Amino acid sequence: DYEQVYPGDQVASALASVLHMLQSGIQCTDRAMQVLQKVCDAAGGNLTHGADFSNHRDPLLQSDRLGAGSSMPLLPAEATISLQDLRLLGIASQLLVDVHDLSRLACAFNQKVGPVLGADMCSLYVLRDNNLVEAVTGQTLPCQGLLGLAATSASAVNLQAPENHPKYDRRIDGGSGAYILCMPVTHEGSVQAVIRLTRSRYSTKSPFDQKDEYLLGSFATFLASALVTLEMVRSKDERVGSMHSNLTMSQELMAAELDLPVLLKTIMQQAVKLTGAETSRLYIIEAGTGQMTAHFMDRPEAVVSPSTSIAADVAATATVLNLEDASCHPSYNAGVDGVGCQPRSMLCVPILHSNNTVVAVLQLLNRLGGGSFTKQDSEVLLNYSTFAATVLHNSTAFEAVQSQRNKAAMVIAMIRPMGSAELSADALAALLVQHGRQIVGADRSCLFVVDHSTNCLHGLVGPCKRVDIPIVSCILGDVASKGVTIKAARACDHPSYNPDIDGDIVGYKDESVLCVPLSVSNTVHGVMVFLNKPGSKTFSSDDEDTFTVYSGFAGSALRNCLVHTHLAEEKRKNELLVHVLGNLSQADLMKPDEVVESVIIGAQELLGAERCTFFCVDKERNELYSRVALKTSNKEIRFRLNRGIAGEVASTQTPLNIQNPYADPRFNDEVDKQLD
């Protein structure tokens, strides 16, 4: 009967499993001894109670994988080996010889070992990365509860009322109403797995006893070497599979499009496949500023402003973080790390450029099946990140070149309209403002023209507010006087910021600012101001460099326009002067009022004045009196020759050009206000 159940070499395997017990003086029943003797005779051996089989030449009996020389648990003195015990040992040897797959081993184990020991349920949990994995279903459980106690203590847990034990966890150990026996499977002092047997307390079966512990422990001893071998094979197969998947995906990644948004999505999708994660996100770090932009698989990108986060930690330290519960990490930031989903397990890997600079952070969230990510997941993702770094670098370089080409084409297209002679100063200013805003991506922009004759800046702030600003110490003044570019994340933080001019007149304070001179031959003809870069803290060096190229053409166009405007104005004045002189030459000199009126009209048109008054000198009375006052009352105005601004000019015979006459000390309320 025994040979029919365990044919061939398995008979000798079963025998070898028992020989070690016999050496220890373990008692066997008569029936068991008869079976052993029969098997021993068939194998050509001599079975004697207490005999020494250590020098037996049969290779089956000397094989370590069959349990020879193993450390067996102690059997109680009153216990004996029965035919049932031999059957269990035969099962062990058959599993060792025939099974080369963990799932099949676990199925055979659950079906055969449980009934032999009278268990209602029998399960095998393999210990991997501090988690317990059910060998048949692959379900991952945390190393807690009574299963975790057996694994961490490396000792059997045999309880009649497990629910009363302080380590009992209903989620892991199941409901109450059962006897539980948990046995660790140990190899060279390291726990490989845990066997769990249960018997219902509501049946006629008794609790597990010491003999059950001994037999299960003996079986665990044989099972340990098989598990180690299978785990080595599994680990090797997984490593080879991961390497193959990694290589395949890396090849696909290297051949992927260089379009950055598509590439980022591909990297995240492949990382999820490699690690079995629920989702992933990729943080791109902007060179120079260190600003992080988060890219997601299922939502739009977002700029990450807080500096405290798990991703920021990985970027700063360039180290891998494998977290069982991300929310417990001291750097966890729900506004960054918790966007889109509630993270449990997290694997965060830096993506390094060839110069060891962190250019991105790849973050995997929530391993499918529960538990934390494995060490192998970390290794696989770290290897994958080297390919991702290369492709990201190529894509970024390609995008930078493409961006430069696009901007160069845009600048060339913008330069063409500048050469039009039909553009007025106002039209050119509007064109420069529009082009500049497009080039740097600013929210607002304005242009100030430098008037070197008055040392002032003239510009249009807002839709219709014209302002005149003296070139003094301020951001605009420094750019105009020194010909340097000023850039700041917050205008008010720059040392040249003047709240009275930059803040009150021009109207910027907390915005990012880029202020660029429009120069020709080291002479500044205008100042372009850009405010507020949407989606970024400050204007980039690329923005500055691109507009600097444009500003060279813009400065030339502005200078040419100013020169053209000046020449056109001089021509207009000369033509008007000729016209006025022609009118004067034709005037009737016998009618002084007509002559004076011709002079006043000509002067007013020549200078573009709003009002004009002509005063004659009465030398006899030492007074000034008005002969003709256009757009004023026709009454005569008389005053002393030394009073008011007009009196000053008459006395000194020196022309005066006063910007604000009401603030001038020579202004006379009694005299000059009569001209209002």
Side-chain angles (χ1 to χ4, degrees):
D1 295 339
Y2 193 88
E3 288 181 349
Q4 291 176 2
V5 178
Y6 306 109
D9 291 340
Q10 295 173 26
V11 174
S13 300
L15 176 61
S17 304
V18 181
L19 291 180
H20 180 77
M21 301 180 190
L22 294 177
Q23 289 176 325
S24 303
I26 298 172
Q27 300 296 318
C28 295
T29 63
D30 292 340
R31 174 59 178 158
M33 287 297 293
Q34 292 173 8
V35 172
L36 283 173
Q37 186 62 60
K38 180 179 179 181
V39 173
C40 190
D41 291 341
N46 181 22
L47 181 62
T48 305
H49 184 68
D52 184 4
F53 291 90
S54 59
N55 295 321
H56 200 284
R57 299 299 180 185
D58 192 325
L60 285 172
L61 302 183
Q62 297 294 327
S63 174
D64 287 339
R65 74 181 180 87
L66 298 178
S70 299
S71 176
M72 293 289 191
L74 295 178
L75 183 68
E78 65 275 9
T80 59
I81 296 295
S82 66
L83 190 59
Q84 179 190 31
D85 305 330
L86 294 178
R87 189 176 297 117
L88 180 63
L89 295 171
I91 290 173
S93 62
Q94 183 185 30
L95 293 178
L96 290 172
V97 173
D98 286 351
V99 181
H100 303 286
D101 176 80
L102 180 60
S103 179
R104 290 175 57 198
L105 173 67
C107 287
F109 168 79
N110 294 347
Q111 293 170 3
K112 296 180 180 180
V113 175
V116 170
L117 290 176
D120 295 326
M121 291 186 65
C122 179
S123 303
L124 176 64
Y125 294 87
V126 180
L127 192 64
R128 291 180 189 161
D129 298 306
N130 296 323
N131 292 314
L132 291 167
V133 181
E134 212 284 326
V136 177
T137 64
Q139 180 187 11
T140 302
L141 299 174
C143 193
Q144 299 171 2
L146 300 178
L147 279 172
L149 178 61
T152 54
S153 65
S155 58
V157 176
N158 188 354
L159 299 172
Q160 297 183 24
E163 64 274 10
N164 296 330
H165 195 279
K167 292 288 186 180
Y168 174 78
D169 190 328
R170 184 182 181 86
R171 298 171 302 167
I172 298 172
D173 301 312
S176 58
Y179 307 122
I180 287 183
L181 174 57
C182 297
M183 180 63 65
V185 179
T186 307
H187 179 76
E188 296 182 353
S190 175
V191 177
Q192 304 295 319
V194 177
I195 303 169
R196 181 174 67 183
L197 303 181
T198 60
R199 288 178 184 167
S200 174
R201 291 198 299 231
Y202 304 111
S203 65
T204 58
K205 298 177 181 178
S206 59
F208 295 104
D209 56 18
Q210 288 183 310
K211 181 179 177 181
D212 293 324
E213 281 189 41
Y214 172 79
L215 290 173
L216 190 58
S218 300
F219 181 81
T221 303
F222 293 110
L223 183 62
S225 58
L227 283 178
V228 169
T229 303
L230 289 175
E231 281 295 291
M232 289 176 60
V233 172
R234 181 197 64 81
S235 178
K236 182 178 179 181
D237 289 344
E238 284 190 358
R239 188 175 294 275
V240 171
S242 297
M243 290 176 61
H244 182 269
S245 299
N246 202 335
L247 182 60
T248 301
M249 291 188 179
S250 299
Q251 289 174 342
E252 293 175 357
L253 189 62
M254 298 295 283
E257 294 184 30
L258 289 176
D259 181 58
L260 189 59
V262 175
L263 183 63
L264 297 179
K265 187 82 71 176
T266 301
I267 291 174
M268 289 186 284
Q269 290 171 347
Q270 289 187 345
V272 165
K273 290 180 181 178
L274 283 172
T275 58
E278 179 182 320
T279 187
S280 70
R281 55 189 61 159
L282 190 59
Y283 298 88
I284 301 298
I285 302 171
E286 183 179 328
T289 64
Q291 178 177 283
M292 298 176 66
T293 302
H295 297 265
F296 304 89
M297 294 182 65
D298 55 356
R299 61 180 53 235
E301 65 183 64
V303 176
V304 177
S305 52
S307 58
T308 302
S309 66
I310 295 176
D313 270 11
V314 172
T317 60
T319 56
V320 178
L321 274 183
N322 190 351
L323 307 174
E324 184 175 352
D325 187 351
S327 61
C328 296
H329 193 274
S331 296
Y332 175 75
N333 188 319
V336 178
D337 303 303
V339 174
C341 71
Q342 178 61 40
R344 299 182 298 276
S345 56
M346 178 184 288
L347 178 58
C348 224
V349 176
I351 296 179
L352 302 173
H353 189 259
S354 56
N355 58 2
N356 290 328
T357 301
V358 180
V359 295
V361 174
L362 184 56
Q363 192 177 77
L364 281 301
L365 300 174
N366 303 338
R367 195 171 193 269
L368 297 177
S372 58
F373 291 94
T374 64
K375 182 180 180 181
Q376 185 174 332
D377 292 332
S378 300
E379 294 174 355
V380 168
L381 200 61
L382 200 57
N383 290 333
Y384 178 76
S385 69
T386 58
F387 293 97
T390 302
V391 177
L392 274 176
H393 174 71
N394 294 341
S395 176
T396 305
F398 174 78
E399 191 177 63
V401 171
Q402 196 69 20
S403 175
Q404 289 294 339
R405 289 180 59 185
N406 294 338
K407 286 188 175 182
M410 180 173 64
V411 168
I412 291 173
M414 290 177 174
I415 291 171
R416 291 171 184 163
M418 294 183 192
S420 175
E422 299 177 358
L423 283 177
S424 65
D426 289 342
L428 178 63
L431 188 67
L432 296 181
V433 167
Q434 177 187 351
H435 287 175
R437 191 163 56 244
Q438 291 176 0
I439 290 172
V440 303
D443 186 40
R444 292 181 290 144
S445 61
C446 50
L447 173 65
F448 290 87
V449 178
V450 179
D451 187 344
H452 293 284
S453 62
T454 61
N455 202 34
C456 286
L457 290 165
H458 309 293
L460 187 66
V461 178
C464 57
K465 179 185 176 183
R466 291 188 176 275
V467 295
D468 299 317
I469 301 173
I471 299 178
V472 294
S473 180
C474 61
I475 290 179
L476 285 172
D478 283 0
V479 174
S481 60
K482 301 175 183 178
V484 295
T485 297
I486 289 179
K487 181 175 64 175
R490 291 178 75 237
C492 60
D493 292 338
H494 195 275
S496 297
Y497 181 78
N498 186 327
D500 295 331
I501 297 177
D502 297 309
D504 295 341
I505 298 177
V506 185
Y508 54 82
K509 179 181 178 182
D510 296 320
E511 297 96 334
S512 55
V513 62
L514 175 62
C515 207
V516 184
L518 304 182
S519 308
V520 178
S521 302
N522 296 324
T523 300
V524 180
H525 296 282
V527 176
M528 187 72 80
V529 181
F530 301 103
L531 301 173
N532 191 24
K533 174 83 169 179
S536 180
K537 290 183 178 180
T538 184
F539 294 93
S540 65
S541 299
D542 183 57
D543 296 329
E544 182 181 344
D545 294 341
T546 305
F547 187 77
T548 299
V549 174
Y550 177 82
S551 69
F553 297 96
S556 297
L558 182 60
R559 181 200 61 180
N560 295 340
C561 183
L562 293 175
V563 170
H564 180 269
T565 302
H566 175 72
L567 293 177
E569 180 65 14
E570 290 296 320
K571 180 183 177 182
R572 185 191 70 82
K573 289 181 178 180
N574 289 334
E575 291 175 349
L576 183 59
L577 186 60
V578 170
H579 176 70
V580 170
L581 292 176
N583 290 339
L584 285 175
S585 65
Q586 298 176 7
D588 188 353
L589 298 180
M590 300 303 294
K591 298 178 180 179
D593 287 343
E594 291 183 8
V595 175
V596 171
E597 185 174 356
S598 296
V599 172
I600 290 176
I601 292 174
Q604 188 170 354
E605 290 180 356
L606 194 64
L607 299 180
E610 183 180 325
R611 285 175 292 170
C612 184
T613 304
F614 186 89
F615 290 94
C616 295
V617 178
D618 186 344
K619 293 183 178 180
E620 294 181 358
R621 300 175 64 176
N622 198 27
E623 290 179 344
L624 287 175
Y625 65 96
S626 62
R627 286 293 297 265
V628 178
L630 295 182
K631 294 191 178 180
T632 62
S633 62
N634 291 325
K635 70 177 182 177
E636 184 181 76
I637 302 173
R638 277 186 172 271
F639 51 89
R640 300 295 296 175
L641 191 63
N642 60 351
R643 298 180 65 186
I645 293 175
E648 177 75 14
V649 173
S651 301
T652 62
Q653 300 184 24
T654 303
L656 290 177
N657 185 358
I658 302 173
Q659 185 175 1
N660 185 3
Y662 297 100
D664 194 280
R666 291 163 294 195
F667 182 80
N668 189 298
D669 288 346
E670 183 181 348
V671 175
D672 294 317
K673 276 193 174 181
Q674 296 183 60
L675 301 177
D676 287 346

